[in-house]
PDB file of all heavy atoms in Angstrom:
ATOM      1  N   SER A  58      -0.998  38.643  -1.403  1.00 98.00           N
ATOM      2  CA  SER A  58      -0.348  37.728  -2.346  1.00 98.00           C
ATOM      3  C   SER A  58       0.187  36.460  -1.687  1.00 98.00           C
ATOM      4  O   SER A  58       0.373  35.441  -2.357  1.00 98.00           O
ATOM      5  CB  SER A  58       0.789  38.453  -3.066  1.00 98.00           C
ATOM      6  OG  SER A  58       1.744  38.885  -2.126  1.00 98.00           O
ATOM      7  N   CYS A  59       0.462  36.506  -0.400  1.00 98.00           N
ATOM      8  CA  CYS A  59       0.899  35.327   0.362  1.00 98.00           C
ATOM      9  C   CYS A  59       0.946  35.734   1.831  1.00 98.00           C
ATOM     10  O   CYS A  59       0.871  36.925   2.141  1.00 98.00           O
ATOM     11  CB  CYS A  59       2.278  34.825  -0.101  1.00 98.00           C
ATOM     12  SG  CYS A  59       3.615  36.004   0.179  1.00 98.00           S
ATOM     13  N   ALA A  60       1.072  34.761   2.708  1.00 98.00           N
ATOM     14  CA  ALA A  60       1.075  35.083   4.137  1.00 98.00           C
ATOM     15  C   ALA A  60       2.343  35.835   4.549  1.00 98.00           C
ATOM     16  O   ALA A  60       2.312  36.665   5.466  1.00 98.00           O
ATOM     17  CB  ALA A  60       0.920  33.812   4.970  1.00 98.00           C
ATOM     18  N   THR A  61       3.450  35.557   3.879  1.00 98.00           N
ATOM     19  CA  THR A  61       4.691  36.254   4.227  1.00 98.00           C
ATOM     20  C   THR A  61       4.505  37.760   4.039  1.00 98.00           C
ATOM     21  O   THR A  61       4.795  38.556   4.951  1.00 98.00           O
ATOM     22  CB  THR A  61       5.860  35.758   3.346  1.00 98.00           C
ATOM     23  OG1 THR A  61       5.881  34.325   3.362  1.00 98.00           O
ATOM     24  CG2 THR A  61       7.188  36.292   3.830  1.00 98.00           C
ATOM     25  N   MET A  62       3.988  38.136   2.874  1.00 98.00           N
ATOM     26  CA  MET A  62       3.728  39.559   2.613  1.00 98.00           C
ATOM     27  C   MET A  62       2.569  40.064   3.481  1.00 98.00           C
ATOM     28  O   MET A  62       2.521  41.238   3.831  1.00 98.00           O
ATOM     29  CB  MET A  62       3.429  39.776   1.129  1.00 98.00           C
ATOM     30  CG  MET A  62       4.662  39.722   0.252  1.00 98.00           C
ATOM     31  SD  MET A  62       5.886  41.003   0.678  1.00 98.00           S
ATOM     32  CE  MET A  62       7.123  40.033   1.505  1.00 98.00           C
ATOM     33  N   LEU A  64       2.005  39.135   6.601  1.00 98.00           N
ATOM     34  CA  LEU A  64       2.605  39.438   7.906  1.00 98.00           C
ATOM     35  C   LEU A  64       3.373  40.755   7.839  1.00 98.00           C
ATOM     36  O   LEU A  64       3.279  41.597   8.741  1.00 98.00           O
ATOM     37  CB  LEU A  64       3.545  38.302   8.326  1.00 98.00           C
ATOM     38  CG  LEU A  64       2.878  37.014   8.826  1.00 98.00           C
ATOM     39  CD1 LEU A  64       3.844  35.835   8.762  1.00 98.00           C
ATOM     40  CD2 LEU A  64       2.370  37.197  10.261  1.00 98.00           C
ATOM     41  N   THR A  85       8.960  27.814  13.929  1.00 97.00           N
ATOM     42  CA  THR A  85       7.927  28.193  12.971  1.00 97.00           C
ATOM     43  C   THR A  85       8.541  28.202  11.583  1.00 97.00           C
ATOM     44  O   THR A  85       9.759  28.017  11.435  1.00 97.00           O
ATOM     45  CB  THR A  85       7.337  29.586  13.317  1.00 97.00           C
ATOM     46  OG1 THR A  85       6.374  29.959  12.321  1.00 97.00           O
ATOM     47  CG2 THR A  85       8.410  30.657  13.387  1.00 97.00           C
ATOM     48  N   ALA A  86       7.701  28.418  10.574  1.00 97.00           N
ATOM     49  CA  ALA A  86       8.211  28.621   9.224  1.00 97.00           C
ATOM     50  C   ALA A  86       9.013  29.920   9.230  1.00 97.00           C
ATOM     51  O   ALA A  86       8.653  30.876   9.936  1.00 97.00           O
ATOM     52  CB  ALA A  86       7.049  28.725   8.242  1.00 97.00           C
ATOM     53  N   ALA A  88       9.066  32.275   7.370  1.00 98.00           N
ATOM     54  CA  ALA A  88       8.268  33.420   6.935  1.00 98.00           C
ATOM     55  C   ALA A  88       7.907  34.354   8.094  1.00 98.00           C
ATOM     56  O   ALA A  88       7.939  35.584   7.951  1.00 98.00           O
ATOM     57  CB  ALA A  88       6.988  32.934   6.259  1.00 98.00           C
ATOM     58  N   THR A  89       7.565  33.787   9.236  1.00 98.00           N
ATOM     59  CA  THR A  89       7.146  34.588  10.388  1.00 98.00           C
ATOM     60  C   THR A  89       8.254  35.562  10.781  1.00 98.00           C
ATOM     61  O   THR A  89       7.995  36.749  11.008  1.00 98.00           O
ATOM     62  CB  THR A  89       6.809  33.665  11.589  1.00 98.00           C
ATOM     63  OG1 THR A  89       6.109  32.517  11.131  1.00 98.00           O
ATOM     64  CG2 THR A  89       5.984  34.395  12.632  1.00 98.00           C
ATOM     65  N   VAL A 131       2.088  31.772  16.840  1.00 98.00           N
ATOM     66  CA  VAL A 131       1.839  30.950  15.646  1.00 98.00           C
ATOM     67  C   VAL A 131       0.998  29.747  16.067  1.00 98.00           C
ATOM     68  O   VAL A 131       1.363  29.039  17.005  1.00 98.00           O
ATOM     69  CB  VAL A 131       3.165  30.471  15.026  1.00 98.00           C
ATOM     70  CG1 VAL A 131       2.909  29.622  13.785  1.00 98.00           C
ATOM     71  CG2 VAL A 131       4.062  31.653  14.680  1.00 98.00           C
ATOM     72  N   HIS A 132      -0.123  29.545  15.391  1.00 98.00           N
ATOM     73  CA  HIS A 132      -0.957  28.363  15.677  1.00 98.00           C
ATOM     74  C   HIS A 132      -0.399  27.205  14.851  1.00 98.00           C
ATOM     75  O   HIS A 132      -0.978  26.805  13.844  1.00 98.00           O
ATOM     76  CB  HIS A 132      -2.415  28.647  15.330  1.00 98.00           C
ATOM     77  CG  HIS A 132      -2.970  29.872  15.988  1.00 98.00           C
ATOM     78  ND1 HIS A 132      -3.042  30.010  17.359  1.00 98.00           N
ATOM     79  CD2 HIS A 132      -3.477  31.025  15.474  1.00 98.00           C
ATOM     80  CE1 HIS A 132      -3.582  31.189  17.646  1.00 98.00           C
ATOM     81  NE2 HIS A 132      -3.844  31.830  16.534  1.00 98.00           N
ATOM     82  N   LEU A 133       0.751  26.722  15.306  1.00 98.00           N
ATOM     83  CA  LEU A 133       1.514  25.771  14.494  1.00 98.00           C
ATOM     84  C   LEU A 133       0.810  24.421  14.387  1.00 98.00           C
ATOM     85  O   LEU A 133       0.253  23.931  15.376  1.00 98.00           O
ATOM     86  CB  LEU A 133       2.915  25.599  15.096  1.00 98.00           C
ATOM     87  CG  LEU A 133       3.961  25.066  14.135  1.00 98.00           C
ATOM     88  CD1 LEU A 133       4.321  26.094  13.066  1.00 98.00           C
ATOM     89  CD2 LEU A 133       5.211  24.635  14.884  1.00 98.00           C
ATOM     90  N   ASP A 157      -0.372  34.377  13.627  1.00 98.00           N
ATOM     91  CA  ASP A 157       0.022  33.692  12.394  1.00 98.00           C
ATOM     92  C   ASP A 157      -0.865  32.444  12.279  1.00 98.00           C
ATOM     93  O   ASP A 157      -0.629  31.437  12.954  1.00 98.00           O
ATOM     94  CB  ASP A 157       1.510  33.323  12.436  1.00 98.00           C
ATOM     95  CG  ASP A 157       1.983  32.651  11.145  1.00 98.00           C
ATOM     96  OD1 ASP A 157       1.138  32.086  10.416  1.00 98.00           O
ATOM     97  OD2 ASP A 157       3.203  32.673  10.874  1.00 98.00           O
ATOM     98  N   CYS A 158      -1.886  32.553  11.431  1.00 98.00           N
ATOM     99  CA  CYS A 158      -2.884  31.481  11.266  1.00 98.00           C
ATOM    100  C   CYS A 158      -2.633  30.666  10.008  1.00 98.00           C
ATOM    101  O   CYS A 158      -3.532  29.952   9.544  1.00 98.00           O
ATOM    102  CB  CYS A 158      -4.290  32.075  11.179  1.00 98.00           C
ATOM    103  SG  CYS A 158      -4.766  33.063  12.593  1.00 98.00           S
ATOM    104  N   ALA A 159      -1.415  30.764   9.453  1.00 98.00           N
ATOM    105  CA  ALA A 159      -1.133  30.117   8.164  1.00 98.00           C
ATOM    106  C   ALA A 159      -1.454  28.623   8.188  1.00 98.00           C
ATOM    107  O   ALA A 159      -1.835  28.053   7.178  1.00 98.00           O
ATOM    108  CB  ALA A 159       0.324  30.342   7.775  1.00 98.00           C
ATOM    109  N   GLN A 160      -1.298  28.001   9.366  1.00 98.00           N
ATOM    110  CA  GLN A 160      -1.531  26.549   9.430  1.00 98.00           C
ATOM    111  C   GLN A 160      -2.828  26.208  10.150  1.00 98.00           C
ATOM    112  O   GLN A 160      -3.067  25.046  10.480  1.00 98.00           O
ATOM    113  CB  GLN A 160      -0.351  25.871  10.145  1.00 98.00           C
ATOM    114  CG  GLN A 160       0.977  26.116   9.452  1.00 98.00           C
ATOM    115  CD  GLN A 160       2.099  25.229   9.969  1.00 98.00           C
ATOM    116  OE1 GLN A 160       1.895  24.377  10.832  1.00 98.00           O
ATOM    117  NE2 GLN A 160       3.300  25.423   9.434  1.00 98.00           N
ATOM    118  N   PHE A 180      -3.481  34.681   7.220  1.00 98.00           N
ATOM    119  CA  PHE A 180      -3.736  33.327   6.712  1.00 98.00           C
ATOM    120  C   PHE A 180      -2.952  33.100   5.427  1.00 98.00           C
ATOM    121  O   PHE A 180      -2.645  34.048   4.707  1.00 98.00           O
ATOM    122  CB  PHE A 180      -5.234  33.146   6.422  1.00 98.00           C
ATOM    123  CG  PHE A 180      -6.092  33.124   7.657  1.00 98.00           C
ATOM    124  CD1 PHE A 180      -6.583  34.308   8.198  1.00 98.00           C
ATOM    125  CD2 PHE A 180      -6.399  31.924   8.286  1.00 98.00           C
ATOM    126  CE1 PHE A 180      -7.375  34.288   9.343  1.00 98.00           C
ATOM    127  CE2 PHE A 180      -7.192  31.893   9.423  1.00 98.00           C
ATOM    128  CZ  PHE A 180      -7.680  33.087   9.955  1.00 98.00           C
ATOM    129  N   SER A 181      -2.682  31.822   5.122  1.00 98.00           N
ATOM    130  CA  SER A 181      -1.976  31.459   3.887  1.00 98.00           C
ATOM    131  C   SER A 181      -2.837  30.506   3.066  1.00 98.00           C
ATOM    132  O   SER A 181      -3.456  29.600   3.621  1.00 98.00           O
ATOM    133  CB  SER A 181      -0.653  30.768   4.220  1.00 98.00           C
ATOM    134  OG  SER A 181      -0.073  30.221   3.041  1.00 98.00           O
ATOM    135  N   PHE A 182      -2.820  30.706   1.753  1.00 98.00           N
ATOM    136  CA  PHE A 182      -3.497  29.771   0.850  1.00 98.00           C
ATOM    137  C   PHE A 182      -2.489  28.989   0.019  1.00 98.00           C
ATOM    138  O   PHE A 182      -2.801  28.521  -1.077  1.00 98.00           O
ATOM    139  CB  PHE A 182      -4.482  30.532  -0.059  1.00 98.00           C
ATOM    140  CG  PHE A 182      -5.415  31.433   0.696  1.00 98.00           C
ATOM    141  CD1 PHE A 182      -5.593  32.756   0.314  1.00 98.00           C
ATOM    142  CD2 PHE A 182      -6.102  30.968   1.814  1.00 98.00           C
ATOM    143  CE1 PHE A 182      -6.440  33.604   1.024  1.00 98.00           C
ATOM    144  CE2 PHE A 182      -6.957  31.805   2.537  1.00 98.00           C
ATOM    145  CZ  PHE A 182      -7.125  33.122   2.142  1.00 98.00           C
ATOM    146  N   PHE A 183      -1.276  28.876   0.519  1.00 98.00           N
ATOM    147  CA  PHE A 183      -0.270  28.002  -0.092  1.00 98.00           C
ATOM    148  C   PHE A 183      -0.948  26.637  -0.335  1.00 98.00           C
ATOM    149  O   PHE A 183      -1.744  26.198   0.501  1.00 98.00           O
ATOM    150  CB  PHE A 183       0.931  27.890   0.851  1.00 98.00           C
ATOM    151  CG  PHE A 183       2.064  27.074   0.309  1.00 98.00           C
ATOM    152  CD1 PHE A 183       2.995  27.637  -0.549  1.00 98.00           C
ATOM    153  CD2 PHE A 183       2.207  25.736   0.662  1.00 98.00           C
ATOM    154  CE1 PHE A 183       4.043  26.881  -1.054  1.00 98.00           C
ATOM    155  CE2 PHE A 183       3.250  24.978   0.161  1.00 98.00           C
ATOM    156  CZ  PHE A 183       4.172  25.556  -0.705  1.00 98.00           C
ATOM    157  N   LYS A 186      -1.836  24.175   2.487  1.00 98.00           N
ATOM    158  CA  LYS A 186      -2.471  24.641   3.731  1.00 98.00           C
ATOM    159  C   LYS A 186      -3.930  24.167   3.775  1.00 98.00           C
ATOM    160  O   LYS A 186      -4.457  23.670   2.782  1.00 98.00           O
ATOM    161  CB  LYS A 186      -2.387  26.173   3.832  1.00 98.00           C
ATOM    162  CG  LYS A 186      -0.950  26.720   3.808  1.00 98.00           C
ATOM    163  CD  LYS A 186      -0.174  26.438   5.100  1.00 98.00           C
ATOM    164  CE  LYS A 186       1.328  26.531   4.924  1.00 98.00           C
ATOM    165  NZ  LYS A 186       1.916  27.841   5.069  1.00 98.00           N
ATOM    166  N   ASP A 193       0.327  30.918  -4.900  1.00 98.00           N
ATOM    167  CA  ASP A 193       0.473  31.656  -3.647  1.00 98.00           C
ATOM    168  C   ASP A 193      -0.749  32.533  -3.394  1.00 98.00           C
ATOM    169  O   ASP A 193      -1.376  33.024  -4.333  1.00 98.00           O
ATOM    170  CB  ASP A 193       1.723  32.534  -3.703  1.00 98.00           C
ATOM    171  CG  ASP A 193       2.995  31.737  -3.503  1.00 98.00           C
ATOM    172  OD1 ASP A 193       3.048  30.978  -2.504  1.00 98.00           O
ATOM    173  OD2 ASP A 193       3.917  31.847  -4.313  1.00 98.00           O
ATOM    174  N   GLY A 194      -1.035  32.737  -2.122  1.00 98.00           N
ATOM    175  CA  GLY A 194      -2.142  33.616  -1.746  1.00 98.00           C
ATOM    176  C   GLY A 194      -2.230  33.688  -0.239  1.00 98.00           C
ATOM    177  O   GLY A 194      -1.670  32.846   0.469  1.00 98.00           O
ATOM    178  N   GLY A 195      -2.921  34.700   0.255  1.00 98.00           N
ATOM    179  CA  GLY A 195      -3.089  34.834   1.698  1.00 98.00           C
ATOM    180  C   GLY A 195      -4.116  35.899   2.016  1.00 98.00           C
ATOM    181  O   GLY A 195      -4.704  36.505   1.099  1.00 98.00           O
ATOM    182  N   HIS A 284      -3.479  20.925  10.559  1.00 98.00           N
ATOM    183  CA  HIS A 284      -2.756  21.110   9.291  1.00 98.00           C
ATOM    184  C   HIS A 284      -1.751  19.970   9.135  1.00 98.00           C
ATOM    185  O   HIS A 284      -1.611  19.385   8.070  1.00 98.00           O
ATOM    186  CB  HIS A 284      -2.054  22.461   9.287  1.00 98.00           C
ATOM    187  CG  HIS A 284      -1.123  22.619   8.139  1.00 98.00           C
ATOM    188  ND1 HIS A 284      -1.535  22.515   6.838  1.00 98.00           N
ATOM    189  CD2 HIS A 284       0.214  22.831   8.090  1.00 98.00           C
ATOM    190  CE1 HIS A 284      -0.499  22.672   6.042  1.00 98.00           C
ATOM    191  NE2 HIS A 284       0.569  22.853   6.763  1.00 98.00           N
ATOM    192  N   TYR A 311       9.966  21.361  11.800  1.00 94.00           N
ATOM    193  CA  TYR A 311      11.048  21.566  10.873  1.00 94.00           C
ATOM    194  C   TYR A 311      12.296  20.923  11.436  1.00 94.00           C
ATOM    195  O   TYR A 311      12.432  20.825  12.652  1.00 94.00           O
ATOM    196  CB  TYR A 311      11.244  23.076  10.670  1.00 94.00           C
ATOM    197  CG  TYR A 311       9.920  23.705  10.206  1.00 94.00           C
ATOM    198  CD1 TYR A 311       9.011  24.173  11.146  1.00 94.00           C
ATOM    199  CD2 TYR A 311       9.600  23.766   8.865  1.00 94.00           C
ATOM    200  CE1 TYR A 311       7.787  24.712  10.736  1.00 94.00           C
ATOM    201  CE2 TYR A 311       8.379  24.307   8.452  1.00 94.00           C
ATOM    202  CZ  TYR A 311       7.478  24.773   9.394  1.00 94.00           C
ATOM    203  OH  TYR A 311       6.277  25.268   8.992  1.00 94.00           O
TER     204      TYR A 311
HETATM  205  C1  LIG B   1       3.128  28.722   5.248  1.00 78.45           C
HETATM  206  C2  LIG B   1       3.431  29.576   6.400  1.00 78.45           C
HETATM  207  C3  LIG B   1       3.708  30.950   6.274  1.00 78.45           C
HETATM  208  C4  LIG B   1       3.926  31.612   4.948  1.00 78.45           C
HETATM  209  O1  LIG B   1       2.883  31.465   4.075  1.00 78.45           O
HETATM  210  P1  LIG B   1       3.069  31.877   2.531  1.00 78.45           P
HETATM  211  O2  LIG B   1       1.647  32.090   2.080  1.00 78.45           O
HETATM  212  O3  LIG B   1       3.708  30.703   1.873  1.00 78.45           O
HETATM  213  O4  LIG B   1       3.883  33.105   2.468  1.00 78.45           O
HETATM  214  C5  LIG B   1       3.865  31.700   7.414  1.00 78.45           C
HETATM  215  N1  LIG B   1       3.785  31.147   8.636  1.00 78.45           N
HETATM  216  C6  LIG B   1       3.551  29.822   8.805  1.00 78.45           C
HETATM  217  C7  LIG B   1       3.452  29.263  10.177  1.00 78.45           C
HETATM  218  C8  LIG B   1       3.379  28.995   7.689  1.00 78.45           C
HETATM  219  O5  LIG B   1       3.158  27.695   7.864  1.00 78.45           O
END
Side-chain angles (χ1 to χ4, degrees):
S58 61
C59 64
T61 311
M62 284 299 106
L64 285 161
T85 177
T89 319
V131 180
H132 306 299
L133 201 70
D157 182 337
C158 302
Q160 301 192 2
F180 291 88
S181 170
F182 309 130
F183 183 83
K186 301 288 160 86
D193 283 309
H284 170 58
Y311 304 90

